[in-house]
Amino acid sequence: MDSIIKRQQHSPKKEKTRSVTYRLPVKLVEEIETEAMNNNISHNVMAKQILEKYIQWDRFADKIGMIPVPKKILDTLGIEMSSAEINEIVNMIKPVIKDAVLFIKGKYDLKRCIETLEDYMRASGMKSDHRIEGELHHFIIQHELGGNWSIFTEQLLQEIFREFLPNSEMKCQTTETTVIATIALGTDFSEHNY
């Protein structure tokens, strides 16, 4: 029997909506409408995406000390990273992630940690996906920053899963731009239900 791979749902239930009216400068409305048209979506959907990004990430970014860094700088820094430096960065970033998850989600556990990392990747413009194949969960991250960042991403995910599931084994497939982390989490695991 072939295994079926399905994508993890990010909004499993239909949310209740409410109409509101805001008075905005004409230039701002025109920019939102233009951007929406360029993305082939309604300006209502564009405004919703902007507000969701703010609620999920941007409102916390300053408070947890996040600063935007041009991708080219990370790409260049990654070329020169040694294995020891990658290990050092992973060890330095683990408590930062824990503090961020505690601050943003109000508790630190595997589901909230994964969801926070997904929020960060979405806010940073990285592509990520969560696919389920029976008991196996595939976390796909496309960073496009080079091989050393793939090694960093793999090691960071290993550390996170090891912290919460010390007896589970995570397997990875990596390329210069993509990491696929696979781990058995069960058929009913969802990082959005806690």
Side-chain angles (χ1 to χ4, degrees):
M1 180 170 109
D2 288 333
S3 198
I4 296 173
I5 297 176
K6 62 179 182 166
R7 294 184 69 208
Q8 173 68 36
Q9 296 291 326
H10 288 275
S11 298
K13 57 187 172 198
K14 186 165 173 67
E15 294 179 312
K16 221 168 111 173
T17 62
R18 186 175 87 180
S19 293
V20 294
T21 302
Y22 294 105
R23 184 167 298 282
L24 301 170
V26 171
K27 183 163 178 51
L28 181 62
V29 173
E30 289 172 349
E31 289 290 333
I32 289 172
E33 289 172 339
T34 300
E35 190 66 21
M37 187 176 66
N38 289 340
N39 286 292
N40 205 24
I41 58 177
S42 72
H43 65 271
N44 190 64
V45 170
M46 175 62 67
K48 180 180 180 266
Q49 288 175 354
I50 291 166
L51 291 171
E52 281 177 341
K53 182 177 179 283
Y54 174 79
I55 291 300
Q56 290 171 351
W57 187 258
D58 292 344
R59 69 181 172 152
F60 301 112
D62 284 344
K63 294 173 184 156
I64 62 173
M66 296 296 291
I67 57 170
V69 177
K71 186 176 178 181
K72 188 65 179 165
I73 290 175
L74 291 177
D75 194 19
T76 302
L77 290 173
I79 292 169
E80 301 297 322
M81 284 193 305
S82 67
S83 294
E85 289 169 325
I86 291 171
N87 290 333
E88 187 177 332
I89 293 169
V90 167
N91 288 330
M92 285 180 0
I93 202 166
K94 280 175 23 189
V96 172
I97 290 172
K98 185 173 184 175
D99 286 343
V101 173
L102 282 168
F103 184 79
I104 294 169
K105 304 295 181 182
K107 190 174 178 186
Y108 184 66
D109 57 30
L110 181 59
K111 290 180 177 187
R112 287 170 177 86
C113 192
I114 291 171
E115 189 176 62
T116 301
L117 290 172
E118 286 175 342
D119 292 345
Y120 167 75
M121 286 182 282
R122 201 171 15 265
S124 300
M126 283 186 238
K127 298 175 195 108
S128 69
D129 200 10
H130 177 181
R131 297 180 191 164
I132 304 167
E133 182 180 10
E135 298 277 321
L136 296 177
H137 289 251
H138 308 284
F139 296 93
I140 303 161
I141 300 163
Q142 194 167 41
H143 55 77
E144 299 179 0
L145 289 169
N148 281 337
W149 287 111
S150 287
I151 293 167
F152 164 80
T153 303
E154 179 180 346
Q155 286 183 4
L156 180 62
L157 291 173
Q158 286 278 7
E159 289 292 322
I160 289 169
F161 283 116
R162 190 176 301 125
E163 178 179 359
F164 294 107
L165 304 167
N167 298 322
S168 294
E169 182 184 344
M170 183 189 87
K171 295 184 179 172
C172 268
Q173 298 174 36
T174 61
T175 69
E176 291 284 311
T177 61
T178 305
V179 175
I180 302 175
T182 301
I183 189 165
L185 296 174
T187 57
D188 59 345
F189 178 88
S190 171
E191 66 272 25
H192 308 295
N193 295 330
Y194 47 82

